[in-house]
Amino acid sequence: MFRSFYDAAGMDLESLLARHLTHLRSQETVPQVFAGRGLTLEDLHALELGLDDAGNGVITLRDLEGRLLGLKVRLLQPAGRKYLELPEPNGNPPWFSTRRPALGSEMARGMLCVEGELNAMVTSLALRGSGWEVIGLGSAFGPVPWAWLEQRRLPVVFSLDRSRAGDKSVQAWLRQARASGLRASRAVPLLADWDACEYAHTCGREALSARWLQILAEGKDG
C-alpha cells in the first residue's frame, strides 16, 4: 500500500515534497518518526523535513546548487528496511548543510562527513558558526562527494558507526583521500555506540557541540 501510493503519485518529486512539507507544518509537536533525535519542530522546518500521510519522515536531498535530487523516506514502522528512496534507486546522494563557510574563508576549518542524514543535520546545527562543514552520508557505503572535498581542499573527518561495513569503508576512503592530497582521519566515537541524535536528545545540543569540538580539536584515529 505504501509503495503503491508513491507509484500512483507519478513520481513528481516537487509535488510530493510540497505535500509532505505542508503536512509537517500542520503538526503542533514533533512527529513520532522524528522524536528523540534532538530536533525541535522549528529545526524540522528549517531542515526541509517532511511528513507523509502514514507518519513516515521525508528527507529532502539537494545538490550543492539547491536542485532537488530525490527524497529519502524514513519509515515509521520498518519491516526489513528503514528507508525508501524516491525515485528508487536514486543513488542515495549525500546531504549538504546549507550553512557552509565560504571557500577560502578564515572560518573554514574542515569537512565532517557523518553517517546518516539526521545525525548530520543535528551535528550541523550543533557546529553552526564553528567553521566545520557537515555532510551527511546516506549509509556506511557512502557515496562520498569526492569532487566537492577535493575542491574545498580542507581537512576531512569521517564519522561512521563502528561496524564491519563502516570500518571497511573508512579505510578505503582514507586511502582515497590521502591519494588525492587531502588530510583525512576518522573521528573517535561521541560516547560508546551513541550517534549524534542520541547524544543531542540525551545530553542537549550544547553538550553535543562541546563534544564534537573536543573530538575535532584533540585529534582522531584512523
Side-chain angles (χ1 to χ4, degrees):
M1 181 176 179
F2 175 79
R3 178 74 252 180
S4 63
F5 165 77
Y6 283 96
D7 289 338
M11 302 305 290
D12 181 341
L13 293 182
E14 293 287 359
S15 297
L16 281 174
L17 175 59
R19 174 175 177 171
H20 298 330
L21 294 178
T22 298
H23 190 190
L24 192 143
R25 291 191 189 104
S26 71
Q27 307 300 303
E28 296 182 356
T29 59
V30 174
Q32 183 181 349
V33 70
F34 293 125
R37 299 181 184 274
L39 297 169
T40 67
L41 195 57
E42 291 73 19
D43 293 333
L44 302 184
H45 298 160
L47 292 165
E48 207 175 15
L49 292 169
L51 189 71
D52 73 8
D53 294 337
N56 302 302
V58 178
I59 297 169
T60 304
L61 298 173
R62 298 187 181 276
D63 64 16
L64 291 163
E65 283 70 47
R67 293 183 291 260
L68 183 62
L69 297 178
L71 306 177
K72 191 169 181 179
V73 181
R74 176 64 165 89
L75 301 178
L76 176 61
Q77 297 179 324
R81 61 188 300 186
K82 292 182 180 179
Y83 291 95
L84 177 70
E85 296 176 34
L86 300 174
E88 190 171 14
N90 64 15
N92 207 9
W95 174 84
F96 294 98
S97 170
T98 57
R99 299 183 176 91
R100 295 188 291 270
L103 189 63
S105 167
E106 293 182 0
M107 277 290 295
R109 298 172 66 182
M111 315 279 281
L112 177 58
C113 299
V114 178
E115 181 182 352
E117 295 89 355
L118 296 177
N119 287 316
M121 289 176 180
V122 74
T123 294
S124 73
L125 295 174
L127 291 178
R128 182 165 47 192
S130 70
W132 281 93
E133 187 170 335
V134 180
I135 297 170
L137 304 180
S139 75
F141 303 102
V144 174
W146 288 109
W148 179 239
L149 298 182
E150 291 173 9
Q151 178 185 350
R152 299 291 281 178
R153 307 306 303 177
L154 294 168
V156 180
V157 180
F158 294 102
S159 176
L160 275 77
D161 294 342
R162 296 286 167 165
S163 65
R164 187 173 182 179
D167 294 345
K168 184 176 181 180
S169 290
V170 167
Q171 291 306 311
W173 295 342
L174 291 177
R175 289 192 297 270
Q176 184 168 348
R178 291 163 183 165
S180 299
L182 298 173
R183 198 171 79 201
S185 55
R186 182 178 189 175
V188 299
L190 288 165
L191 179 65
D193 61 350
W194 282 11
D195 60 26
C197 287
E198 291 171 310
Y199 201 108
H201 174 68
T202 305
C203 303
R205 190 173 298 169
E206 289 187 5
L208 175 63
S209 176
R211 177 58 179 150
W212 268 126
L213 291 174
Q214 177 188 28
I215 290 172
L216 295 168
E218 291 182 354
K220 315 86 185 172
D221 68 310

